[in-house]
Amino acid sequence: MHRKLILFLLLLLLGVQNSQAQGRSKFGGRHVDPFGVLSITAGAGVAYYMGDLSDGINMKHLGLGPSVSIGALYRLTEHISARGELRFYQVSADQQYSKNFQNNLSFKTFNPDINLGIKADLFSFNRHAPVNPYLIGGIGFTLLNPKAEIDGGWQSLAPLTTEGVKYNRLPLVFTAGIGVSFKTSEKLSLGVELCNNFMNSDYLDDVSTVYPNPDQLPGDLARRLSDRAPEIGEPARQPGFSRGSAESKDSYLFLQVKASYLIGNRMQARERKKTRCPKF
């Protein structure tokens, strides 16, 4: 047992020494303190909606939309970075391609969101691994602005209270995901990231519970957009008839190509400044 323990400690020591050797950088050939190292990030890809109007997957009509992000990473430890991003995404859905086609509801939305969280790398910062898988988690807000097309134009749905409910348009969003980055140079990394964004709201699509009493809606436009079944020859829905399901809240998925550019920490910035501006 003692021999096995000694062998394990020796292997661990060799692994640490190997990691430190790989971690020697261009900054004087020394081990770089990871704390405070700053990187800027950018991403582009697609967004996918999961909610009341997507009661099945139709491969021809996924309702994919664009997603873009800009942000920053602030290194805390060898493996952990604080992460902040401003993101924009578009998603949509149309029940004519779903099992509940008879309700004839649809929406499209282009929303911003802001997210703060943590990125956890599998390999340490000073290892400079060419391929580095990671996990992300975060919390933030998104601004809801669902719209529907009617009479040749797009109408904002939230002000019309189509279910007789005035809902919060700035809900919390919890983010969890995975990714992998590929080091292409000393400062630049490219990668792919998949994350799911769970909203603390069921109104990304303006649909959640039941059809309201049309007499309690604010006007004819609200009544038409609340119940669109008559547009396709279906009978008007009775108050209390299921319009959506509040059992699960809405979410949206991002699949993005990501780029990360290493700026460095304060010490490295001072060294670069000295190099650019020598004193005589």
Side-chain angles (χ1 to χ4, degrees), residues 223-259:
R223 286 187 279 271
R224 290 177 61 195
L225 289 169
S226 175
D227 181 3
R228 309 198 70 173
E231 294 178 16
I232 57 172
E234 292 285 330
R237 300 309 189 223
Q238 295 298 311
F241 188 86
S242 177
R243 193 169 187 263
S245 173
E247 292 181 2
S248 59
K249 296 178 180 178
D250 295 337
S251 63
Y252 48 97
L253 191 75
F254 290 163
L255 177 61
Q256 290 190 337
V257 175
K258 306 280 288 195

PDB file of all heavy atoms in Angstrom, residues 223-259:
ATOM      1  N   ARG A 223     -58.010  41.030 -29.385  1.00  0.00           N
ATOM      2  CA  ARG A 223     -58.874  39.848 -29.508  1.00  0.00           C
ATOM      3  C   ARG A 223     -58.490  38.995 -30.720  1.00  0.00           C
ATOM      4  O   ARG A 223     -58.475  37.765 -30.654  1.00  0.00           O
ATOM      5  CB  ARG A 223     -60.339  40.285 -29.588  1.00  0.00           C
ATOM      6  CG  ARG A 223     -60.897  40.746 -28.240  1.00  0.00           C
ATOM      7  CD  ARG A 223     -62.396  41.009 -28.318  1.00  0.00           C
ATOM      8  NE  ARG A 223     -62.665  42.327 -28.890  1.00  0.00           N
ATOM      9  CZ  ARG A 223     -62.748  43.450 -28.161  1.00  0.00           C
ATOM     10  NH1 ARG A 223     -62.571  43.407 -26.846  1.00  0.00           N
ATOM     11  NH2 ARG A 223     -63.012  44.600 -28.743  1.00  0.00           N
ATOM     12  N   ARG A 224     -58.156  39.644 -31.820  1.00  0.00           N
ATOM     13  CA  ARG A 224     -57.770  38.901 -33.026  1.00  0.00           C
ATOM     14  C   ARG A 224     -56.455  38.149 -32.823  1.00  0.00           C
ATOM     15  O   ARG A 224     -56.304  37.012 -33.280  1.00  0.00           O
ATOM     16  CB  ARG A 224     -57.639  39.867 -34.201  1.00  0.00           C
ATOM     17  CG  ARG A 224     -58.955  40.442 -34.695  1.00  0.00           C
ATOM     18  CD  ARG A 224     -58.702  41.446 -35.805  1.00  0.00           C
ATOM     19  NE  ARG A 224     -58.040  40.825 -36.958  1.00  0.00           N
ATOM     20  CZ  ARG A 224     -57.450  41.514 -37.930  1.00  0.00           C
ATOM     21  NH1 ARG A 224     -57.427  42.852 -37.886  1.00  0.00           N
ATOM     22  NH2 ARG A 224     -56.885  40.884 -38.942  1.00  0.00           N
ATOM     23  N   LEU A 225     -55.507  38.772 -32.127  1.00  0.00           N
ATOM     24  CA  LEU A 225     -54.213  38.135 -31.921  1.00  0.00           C
ATOM     25  C   LEU A 225     -54.227  37.134 -30.767  1.00  0.00           C
ATOM     26  O   LEU A 225     -53.351  36.273 -30.681  1.00  0.00           O
ATOM     27  CB  LEU A 225     -53.134  39.205 -31.678  1.00  0.00           C
ATOM     28  CG  LEU A 225     -52.768  40.016 -32.927  1.00  0.00           C
ATOM     29  CD1 LEU A 225     -51.906  41.212 -32.564  1.00  0.00           C
ATOM     30  CD2 LEU A 225     -52.050  39.133 -33.939  1.00  0.00           C
ATOM     31  N   SER A 226     -55.211  37.253 -29.906  1.00  0.00           N
ATOM     32  CA  SER A 226     -55.351  36.279 -28.823  1.00  0.00           C
ATOM     33  C   SER A 226     -55.865  34.948 -29.354  1.00  0.00           C
ATOM     34  O   SER A 226     -55.373  33.878 -28.972  1.00  0.00           O
ATOM     35  CB  SER A 226     -56.299  36.817 -27.752  1.00  0.00           C
ATOM     36  OG  SER A 226     -56.529  35.855 -26.748  1.00  0.00           O
ATOM     37  N   ASP A 227     -56.857  35.001 -30.248  1.00  0.00           N
ATOM     38  CA  ASP A 227     -57.459  33.784 -30.802  1.00  0.00           C
ATOM     39  C   ASP A 227     -57.431  33.885 -32.323  1.00  0.00           C
ATOM     40  O   ASP A 227     -58.232  34.589 -32.927  1.00  0.00           O
ATOM     41  CB  ASP A 227     -58.898  33.640 -30.291  1.00  0.00           C
ATOM     42  CG  ASP A 227     -59.560  32.378 -30.814  1.00  0.00           C
ATOM     43  OD1 ASP A 227     -58.890  31.590 -31.511  1.00  0.00           O
ATOM     44  OD2 ASP A 227     -60.761  32.183 -30.516  1.00  0.00           O
ATOM     45  N   ARG A 228     -56.504  33.145 -32.953  1.00  0.00           N
ATOM     46  CA  ARG A 228     -56.331  33.229 -34.394  1.00  0.00           C
ATOM     47  C   ARG A 228     -56.901  32.012 -35.119  1.00  0.00           C
ATOM     48  O   ARG A 228     -56.709  31.850 -36.330  1.00  0.00           O
ATOM     49  CB  ARG A 228     -54.856  33.409 -34.732  1.00  0.00           C
ATOM     50  CG  ARG A 228     -54.209  34.563 -33.953  1.00  0.00           C
ATOM     51  CD  ARG A 228     -52.927  35.028 -34.561  1.00  0.00           C
ATOM     52  NE  ARG A 228     -53.142  35.707 -35.826  1.00  0.00           N
ATOM     53  CZ  ARG A 228     -52.193  36.331 -36.516  1.00  0.00           C
ATOM     54  NH1 ARG A 228     -50.957  36.355 -36.047  1.00  0.00           N
ATOM     55  NH2 ARG A 228     -52.454  36.913 -37.678  1.00  0.00           N
ATOM     56  N   ALA A 229     -57.622  31.173 -34.380  1.00  0.00           N
ATOM     57  CA  ALA A 229     -58.232  30.002 -35.008  1.00  0.00           C
ATOM     58  C   ALA A 229     -59.254  30.373 -36.086  1.00  0.00           C
ATOM     59  O   ALA A 229     -59.295  29.728 -37.143  1.00  0.00           O
ATOM     60  CB  ALA A 229     -58.876  29.114 -33.941  1.00  0.00           C
ATOM     61  N   PRO A 230     -60.094  31.410 -35.881  1.00  0.00           N
ATOM     62  CA  PRO A 230     -61.066  31.759 -36.925  1.00  0.00           C
ATOM     63  C   PRO A 230     -60.436  32.132 -38.269  1.00  0.00           C
ATOM     64  O   PRO A 230     -61.092  32.023 -39.306  1.00  0.00           O
ATOM     65  CB  PRO A 230     -61.813  32.954 -36.309  1.00  0.00           C
ATOM     66  CG  PRO A 230     -61.702  32.739 -34.828  1.00  0.00           C
ATOM     67  CD  PRO A 230     -60.331  32.179 -34.639  1.00  0.00           C
ATOM     68  N   GLU A 231     -59.167  32.560 -38.267  1.00  0.00           N
ATOM     69  CA  GLU A 231     -58.511  32.935 -39.515  1.00  0.00           C
ATOM     70  C   GLU A 231     -58.363  31.749 -40.469  1.00  0.00           C
ATOM     71  O   GLU A 231     -58.232  31.938 -41.683  1.00  0.00           O
ATOM     72  CB  GLU A 231     -57.123  33.521 -39.227  1.00  0.00           C
ATOM     73  CG  GLU A 231     -57.158  34.847 -38.474  1.00  0.00           C
ATOM     74  CD  GLU A 231     -55.757  35.360 -38.185  1.00  0.00           C
ATOM     75  OE1 GLU A 231     -54.788  34.859 -38.815  1.00  0.00           O
ATOM     76  OE2 GLU A 231     -55.616  36.265 -37.331  1.00  0.00           O
ATOM     77  N   ILE A 232     -58.366  30.522 -39.926  1.00  0.00           N
ATOM     78  CA  ILE A 232     -58.226  29.339 -40.784  1.00  0.00           C
ATOM     79  C   ILE A 232     -59.511  28.495 -40.773  1.00  0.00           C
ATOM     80  O   ILE A 232     -59.487  27.294 -41.062  1.00  0.00           O
ATOM     81  CB  ILE A 232     -57.020  28.479 -40.351  1.00  0.00           C
ATOM     82  CG1 ILE A 232     -57.134  28.042 -38.891  1.00  0.00           C
ATOM     83  CG2 ILE A 232     -55.722  29.228 -40.582  1.00  0.00           C
ATOM     84  CD1 ILE A 232     -56.067  27.035 -38.473  1.00  0.00           C
ATOM     85  N   GLY A 233     -60.619  29.151 -40.430  1.00  0.00           N
ATOM     86  CA  GLY A 233     -61.914  28.477 -40.485  1.00  0.00           C
ATOM     87  C   GLY A 233     -62.253  27.628 -39.277  1.00  0.00           C
ATOM     88  O   GLY A 233     -63.252  26.901 -39.286  1.00  0.00           O
ATOM     89  N   GLU A 234     -61.477  27.715 -38.212  1.00  0.00           N
ATOM     90  CA  GLU A 234     -61.768  26.989 -36.979  1.00  0.00           C
ATOM     91  C   GLU A 234     -62.699  27.833 -36.104  1.00  0.00           C
ATOM     92  O   GLU A 234     -62.711  29.061 -36.183  1.00  0.00           O
ATOM     93  CB  GLU A 234     -60.471  26.699 -36.215  1.00  0.00           C
ATOM     94  CG  GLU A 234     -59.546  25.714 -36.897  1.00  0.00           C
ATOM     95  CD  GLU A 234     -60.033  24.288 -36.783  1.00  0.00           C
ATOM     96  OE1 GLU A 234     -60.702  23.963 -35.775  1.00  0.00           O
ATOM     97  OE2 GLU A 234     -59.767  23.489 -37.707  1.00  0.00           O
ATOM     98  N   PRO A 235     -63.501  27.195 -35.241  1.00  0.00           N
ATOM     99  CA  PRO A 235     -64.368  27.967 -34.345  1.00  0.00           C
ATOM    100  C   PRO A 235     -63.550  28.730 -33.303  1.00  0.00           C
ATOM    101  O   PRO A 235     -62.443  28.317 -32.943  1.00  0.00           O
ATOM    102  CB  PRO A 235     -65.233  26.895 -33.677  1.00  0.00           C
ATOM    103  CG  PRO A 235     -64.441  25.639 -33.796  1.00  0.00           C
ATOM    104  CD  PRO A 235     -63.688  25.738 -35.087  1.00  0.00           C
ATOM    105  N   ALA A 236     -64.106  29.835 -32.858  1.00  0.00           N
ATOM    106  CA  ALA A 236     -63.435  30.626 -31.823  1.00  0.00           C
ATOM    107  C   ALA A 236     -63.282  29.801 -30.551  1.00  0.00           C
ATOM    108  O   ALA A 236     -64.157  29.012 -30.190  1.00  0.00           O
ATOM    109  CB  ALA A 236     -64.240  31.896 -31.537  1.00  0.00           C
ATOM    110  N   ARG A 237     -62.146  29.988 -29.864  1.00  0.00           N
ATOM    111  CA  ARG A 237     -61.869  29.243 -28.647  1.00  0.00           C
ATOM    112  C   ARG A 237     -62.649  29.817 -27.463  1.00  0.00           C
ATOM    113  O   ARG A 237     -62.762  31.039 -27.320  1.00  0.00           O
ATOM    114  CB  ARG A 237     -60.380  29.255 -28.335  1.00  0.00           C
ATOM    115  CG  ARG A 237     -59.502  28.647 -29.426  1.00  0.00           C
ATOM    116  CD  ARG A 237     -60.007  27.281 -29.830  1.00  0.00           C
ATOM    117  NE  ARG A 237     -59.088  26.579 -30.725  1.00  0.00           N
ATOM    118  CZ  ARG A 237     -59.485  25.910 -31.772  1.00  0.00           C
ATOM    119  NH1 ARG A 237     -60.761  25.885 -32.120  1.00  0.00           N
ATOM    120  NH2 ARG A 237     -58.624  25.248 -32.510  1.00  0.00           N
ATOM    121  N   GLN A 238     -63.151  28.936 -26.643  1.00  0.00           N
ATOM    122  CA  GLN A 238     -63.898  29.361 -25.470  1.00  0.00           C
ATOM    123  C   GLN A 238     -62.935  29.798 -24.363  1.00  0.00           C
ATOM    124  O   GLN A 238     -61.825  29.268 -24.245  1.00  0.00           O
ATOM    125  CB  GLN A 238     -64.778  28.220 -24.960  1.00  0.00           C
ATOM    126  CG  GLN A 238     -65.870  27.797 -25.916  1.00  0.00           C
ATOM    127  CD  GLN A 238     -66.843  28.940 -26.195  1.00  0.00           C
ATOM    128  OE1 GLN A 238     -67.325  29.596 -25.268  1.00  0.00           O
ATOM    129  NE2 GLN A 238     -67.098  29.196 -27.471  1.00  0.00           N
ATOM    130  N   PRO A 239     -63.329  30.773 -23.533  1.00  0.00           N
ATOM    131  CA  PRO A 239     -62.490  31.155 -22.389  1.00  0.00           C
ATOM    132  C   PRO A 239     -62.172  29.944 -21.513  1.00  0.00           C
ATOM    133  O   PRO A 239     -63.051  29.136 -21.221  1.00  0.00           O
ATOM    134  CB  PRO A 239     -63.361  32.168 -21.635  1.00  0.00           C
ATOM    135  CG  PRO A 239     -64.259  32.734 -22.689  1.00  0.00           C
ATOM    136  CD  PRO A 239     -64.544  31.611 -23.639  1.00  0.00           C
ATOM    137  N   GLY A 240     -60.882  29.834 -21.141  1.00  0.00           N
ATOM    138  CA  GLY A 240     -60.445  28.701 -20.340  1.00  0.00           C
ATOM    139  C   GLY A 240     -59.888  27.549 -21.150  1.00  0.00           C
ATOM    140  O   GLY A 240     -59.273  26.644 -20.589  1.00  0.00           O
ATOM    141  N   PHE A 241     -60.099  27.572 -22.487  1.00  0.00           N
ATOM    142  CA  PHE A 241     -59.546  26.531 -23.351  1.00  0.00           C
ATOM    143  C   PHE A 241     -58.021  26.682 -23.382  1.00  0.00           C
ATOM    144  O   PHE A 241     -57.490  27.786 -23.385  1.00  0.00           O
ATOM    145  CB  PHE A 241     -60.126  26.676 -24.759  1.00  0.00           C
ATOM    146  CG  PHE A 241     -59.774  25.556 -25.688  1.00  0.00           C
ATOM    147  CD1 PHE A 241     -60.536  24.394 -25.718  1.00  0.00           C
ATOM    148  CD2 PHE A 241     -58.675  25.656 -26.536  1.00  0.00           C
ATOM    149  CE1 PHE A 241     -60.204  23.365 -26.589  1.00  0.00           C
ATOM    150  CE2 PHE A 241     -58.344  24.639 -27.404  1.00  0.00           C
ATOM    151  CZ  PHE A 241     -59.109  23.472 -27.430  1.00  0.00           C
ATOM    152  N   SER A 242     -57.314  25.559 -23.415  1.00  0.00           N
ATOM    153  CA  SER A 242     -55.848  25.572 -23.337  1.00  0.00           C
ATOM    154  C   SER A 242     -55.228  26.314 -24.523  1.00  0.00           C
ATOM    155  O   SER A 242     -55.447  25.963 -25.676  1.00  0.00           O
ATOM    156  CB  SER A 242     -55.322  24.142 -23.278  1.00  0.00           C
ATOM    157  OG  SER A 242     -53.912  24.146 -23.274  1.00  0.00           O
ATOM    158  N   ARG A 243     -54.438  27.331 -24.212  1.00  0.00           N
ATOM    159  CA  ARG A 243     -53.694  28.094 -25.227  1.00  0.00           C
ATOM    160  C   ARG A 243     -52.214  27.700 -25.210  1.00  0.00           C
ATOM    161  O   ARG A 243     -51.541  27.738 -26.222  1.00  0.00           O
ATOM    162  CB  ARG A 243     -53.859  29.593 -24.941  1.00  0.00           C
ATOM    163  CG  ARG A 243     -53.409  30.532 -26.062  1.00  0.00           C
ATOM    164  CD  ARG A 243     -53.868  31.955 -25.758  1.00  0.00           C
ATOM    165  NE  ARG A 243     -53.595  32.847 -26.874  1.00  0.00           N
ATOM    166  CZ  ARG A 243     -52.527  33.638 -26.968  1.00  0.00           C
ATOM    167  NH1 ARG A 243     -51.632  33.652 -25.987  1.00  0.00           N
ATOM    168  NH2 ARG A 243     -52.353  34.419 -28.017  1.00  0.00           N
ATOM    169  N   GLY A 244     -51.730  27.364 -24.026  1.00  0.00           N
ATOM    170  CA  GLY A 244     -50.358  26.913 -23.835  1.00  0.00           C
ATOM    171  C   GLY A 244     -50.297  26.047 -22.591  1.00  0.00           C
ATOM    172  O   GLY A 244     -51.318  25.527 -22.126  1.00  0.00           O
ATOM    173  N   SER A 245     -49.118  25.892 -22.044  1.00  0.00           N
ATOM    174  CA  SER A 245     -48.935  25.106 -20.825  1.00  0.00           C
ATOM    175  C   SER A 245     -47.920  25.798 -19.935  1.00  0.00           C
ATOM    176  O   SER A 245     -46.779  26.030 -20.352  1.00  0.00           O
ATOM    177  CB  SER A 245     -48.458  23.691 -21.144  1.00  0.00           C
ATOM    178  OG  SER A 245     -48.134  22.983 -19.967  1.00  0.00           O
ATOM    179  N   ALA A 246     -48.340  26.123 -18.725  1.00  0.00           N
ATOM    180  CA  ALA A 246     -47.454  26.799 -17.777  1.00  0.00           C
ATOM    181  C   ALA A 246     -46.619  25.816 -16.955  1.00  0.00           C
ATOM    182  O   ALA A 246     -45.888  26.231 -16.055  1.00  0.00           O
ATOM    183  CB  ALA A 246     -48.280  27.684 -16.843  1.00  0.00           C
ATOM    184  N   GLU A 247     -46.720  24.523 -17.262  1.00  0.00           N
ATOM    185  CA  GLU A 247     -45.979  23.518 -16.486  1.00  0.00           C
ATOM    186  C   GLU A 247     -44.464  23.666 -16.660  1.00  0.00           C
ATOM    187  O   GLU A 247     -43.702  23.427 -15.729  1.00  0.00           O
ATOM    188  CB  GLU A 247     -46.413  22.113 -16.896  1.00  0.00           C
ATOM    189  CG  GLU A 247     -47.852  21.782 -16.505  1.00  0.00           C
ATOM    190  CD  GLU A 247     -48.235  20.368 -16.901  1.00  0.00           C
ATOM    191  OE1 GLU A 247     -47.363  19.651 -17.439  1.00  0.00           O
ATOM    192  OE2 GLU A 247     -49.397  19.993 -16.672  1.00  0.00           O
ATOM    193  N   SER A 248     -44.028  24.020 -17.847  1.00  0.00           N
ATOM    194  CA  SER A 248     -42.597  24.243 -18.086  1.00  0.00           C
ATOM    195  C   SER A 248     -42.409  25.604 -18.733  1.00  0.00           C
ATOM    196  O   SER A 248     -43.212  26.017 -19.574  1.00  0.00           O
ATOM    197  CB  SER A 248     -42.017  23.146 -18.980  1.00  0.00           C
ATOM    198  OG  SER A 248     -42.686  23.109 -20.222  1.00  0.00           O
ATOM    199  N   LYS A 249     -41.349  26.293 -18.337  1.00  0.00           N
ATOM    200  CA  LYS A 249     -41.090  27.629 -18.843  1.00  0.00           C
ATOM    201  C   LYS A 249     -40.268  27.568 -20.127  1.00  0.00           C
ATOM    202  O   LYS A 249     -39.703  26.541 -20.478  1.00  0.00           O
ATOM    203  CB  LYS A 249     -40.392  28.449 -17.763  1.00  0.00           C
ATOM    204  CG  LYS A 249     -41.294  28.636 -16.546  1.00  0.00           C
ATOM    205  CD  LYS A 249     -40.622  29.403 -15.439  1.00  0.00           C
ATOM    206  CE  LYS A 249     -41.579  29.555 -14.253  1.00  0.00           C
ATOM    207  NZ  LYS A 249     -40.952  30.267 -13.125  1.00  0.00           N
ATOM    208  N   ASP A 250     -40.228  28.693 -20.821  1.00  0.00           N
ATOM    209  CA  ASP A 250     -39.562  28.744 -22.117  1.00  0.00           C
ATOM    210  C   ASP A 250     -38.040  28.786 -21.961  1.00  0.00           C
ATOM    211  O   ASP A 250     -37.504  29.214 -20.919  1.00  0.00           O
ATOM    212  CB  ASP A 250     -40.020  29.976 -22.895  1.00  0.00           C
ATOM    213  CG  ASP A 250     -41.497  29.930 -23.245  1.00  0.00           C
ATOM    214  OD1 ASP A 250     -42.052  28.823 -23.283  1.00  0.00           O
ATOM    215  OD2 ASP A 250     -42.086  31.007 -23.471  1.00  0.00           O
ATOM    216  N   SER A 251     -37.357  28.372 -23.006  1.00  0.00           N
ATOM    217  CA  SER A 251     -35.897  28.457 -23.046  1.00  0.00           C
ATOM    218  C   SER A 251     -35.449  28.662 -24.486  1.00  0.00           C
ATOM    219  O   SER A 251     -36.221  28.474 -25.428  1.00  0.00           O
ATOM    220  CB  SER A 251     -35.256  27.207 -22.449  1.00  0.00           C
ATOM    221  OG  SER A 251     -35.600  26.064 -23.201  1.00  0.00           O
ATOM    222  N   TYR A 252     -34.191  29.051 -24.639  1.00  0.00           N
ATOM    223  CA  TYR A 252     -33.617  29.207 -25.974  1.00  0.00           C
ATOM    224  C   TYR A 252     -32.179  28.710 -25.948  1.00  0.00           C
ATOM    225  O   TYR A 252     -31.438  28.889 -24.984  1.00  0.00           O
ATOM    226  CB  TYR A 252     -33.704  30.654 -26.469  1.00  0.00           C
ATOM    227  CG  TYR A 252     -33.250  31.722 -25.505  1.00  0.00           C
ATOM    228  CD1 TYR A 252     -31.955  32.251 -25.577  1.00  0.00           C
ATOM    229  CD2 TYR A 252     -34.112  32.227 -24.537  1.00  0.00           C
ATOM    230  CE1 TYR A 252     -31.547  33.243 -24.691  1.00  0.00           C
ATOM    231  CE2 TYR A 252     -33.711  33.215 -23.647  1.00  0.00           C
ATOM    232  CZ  TYR A 252     -32.425  33.723 -23.736  1.00  0.00           C
ATOM    233  OH  TYR A 252     -32.005  34.703 -22.861  1.00  0.00           O
ATOM    234  N   LEU A 253     -31.809  28.067 -27.033  1.00  0.00           N
ATOM    235  CA  LEU A 253     -30.527  27.384 -27.150  1.00  0.00           C
ATOM    236  C   LEU A 253     -29.621  28.141 -28.115  1.00  0.00           C
ATOM    237  O   LEU A 253     -30.087  28.613 -29.155  1.00  0.00           O
ATOM    238  CB  LEU A 253     -30.770  25.969 -27.674  1.00  0.00           C
ATOM    239  CG  LEU A 253     -29.634  24.972 -27.648  1.00  0.00           C
ATOM    240  CD1 LEU A 253     -29.402  24.475 -26.231  1.00  0.00           C
ATOM    241  CD2 LEU A 253     -29.974  23.776 -28.553  1.00  0.00           C
ATOM    242  N   PHE A 254     -28.340  28.257 -27.773  1.00  0.00           N
ATOM    243  CA  PHE A 254     -27.346  28.871 -28.658  1.00  0.00           C
ATOM    244  C   PHE A 254     -26.321  27.827 -29.085  1.00  0.00           C
ATOM    245  O   PHE A 254     -25.808  27.067 -28.252  1.00  0.00           O
ATOM    246  CB  PHE A 254     -26.577  29.995 -27.953  1.00  0.00           C
ATOM    247  CG  PHE A 254     -27.364  31.239 -27.659  1.00  0.00           C
ATOM    248  CD1 PHE A 254     -26.899  32.156 -26.735  1.00  0.00           C
ATOM    249  CD2 PHE A 254     -28.556  31.504 -28.305  1.00  0.00           C
ATOM    250  CE1 PHE A 254     -27.605  33.315 -26.459  1.00  0.00           C
ATOM    251  CE2 PHE A 254     -29.279  32.659 -28.037  1.00  0.00           C
ATOM    252  CZ  PHE A 254     -28.796  33.565 -27.109  1.00  0.00           C
ATOM    253  N   LEU A 255     -26.000  27.796 -30.366  1.00  0.00           N
ATOM    254  CA  LEU A 255     -24.846  27.075 -30.884  1.00  0.00           C
ATOM    255  C   LEU A 255     -24.009  28.098 -31.635  1.00  0.00           C
ATOM    256  O   LEU A 255     -24.447  28.629 -32.667  1.00  0.00           O
ATOM    257  CB  LEU A 255     -25.278  25.937 -31.814  1.00  0.00           C
ATOM    258  CG  LEU A 255     -24.143  25.153 -32.485  1.00  0.00           C
ATOM    259  CD1 LEU A 255     -23.259  24.474 -31.453  1.00  0.00           C
ATOM    260  CD2 LEU A 255     -24.693  24.144 -33.480  1.00  0.00           C
ATOM    261  N   GLN A 256     -22.813  28.394 -31.102  1.00  0.00           N
ATOM    262  CA  GLN A 256     -22.010  29.481 -31.654  1.00  0.00           C
ATOM    263  C   GLN A 256     -20.568  29.053 -31.906  1.00  0.00           C
ATOM    264  O   GLN A 256     -20.015  28.203 -31.195  1.00  0.00           O
ATOM    265  CB  GLN A 256     -21.982  30.675 -30.695  1.00  0.00           C
ATOM    266  CG  GLN A 256     -23.284  31.429 -30.575  1.00  0.00           C
ATOM    267  CD  GLN A 256     -23.115  32.735 -29.806  1.00  0.00           C
ATOM    268  OE1 GLN A 256     -22.187  32.903 -29.015  1.00  0.00           O
ATOM    269  NE2 GLN A 256     -24.013  33.673 -30.052  1.00  0.00           N
ATOM    270  N   VAL A 257     -19.983  29.661 -32.919  1.00  0.00           N
ATOM    271  CA  VAL A 257     -18.531  29.650 -33.097  1.00  0.00           C
ATOM    272  C   VAL A 257     -17.981  30.825 -32.299  1.00  0.00           C
ATOM    273  O   VAL A 257     -18.455  31.956 -32.448  1.00  0.00           O
ATOM    274  CB  VAL A 257     -18.156  29.784 -34.580  1.00  0.00           C
ATOM    275  CG1 VAL A 257     -16.647  29.900 -34.740  1.00  0.00           C
ATOM    276  CG2 VAL A 257     -18.687  28.595 -35.375  1.00  0.00           C
ATOM    277  N   LYS A 258     -17.008  30.544 -31.433  1.00  0.00           N
ATOM    278  CA  LYS A 258     -16.503  31.570 -30.521  1.00  0.00           C
ATOM    279  C   LYS A 258     -15.033  31.878 -30.813  1.00  0.00           C
ATOM    280  O   LYS A 258     -14.258  30.996 -31.182  1.00  0.00           O
ATOM    281  CB  LYS A 258     -16.612  31.094 -29.071  1.00  0.00           C
ATOM    282  CG  LYS A 258     -18.003  30.643 -28.661  1.00  0.00           C
ATOM    283  CD  LYS A 258     -18.904  31.811 -28.333  1.00  0.00           C
ATOM    284  CE  LYS A 258     -18.528  32.467 -27.036  1.00  0.00           C
ATOM    285  NZ  LYS A 258     -19.610  33.374 -26.552  1.00  0.00           N
ATOM    286  N   ALA A 259     -14.671  33.134 -30.602  1.00  0.00           N
ATOM    287  CA  ALA A 259     -13.282  33.572 -30.692  1.00  0.00           C
ATOM    288  C   ALA A 259     -12.912  34.268 -29.388  1.00  0.00           C
ATOM    289  O   ALA A 259     -13.711  35.021 -28.824  1.00  0.00           O
ATOM    290  CB  ALA A 259     -13.084  34.521 -31.873  1.00  0.00           C
TER     291      ALA A 259
END
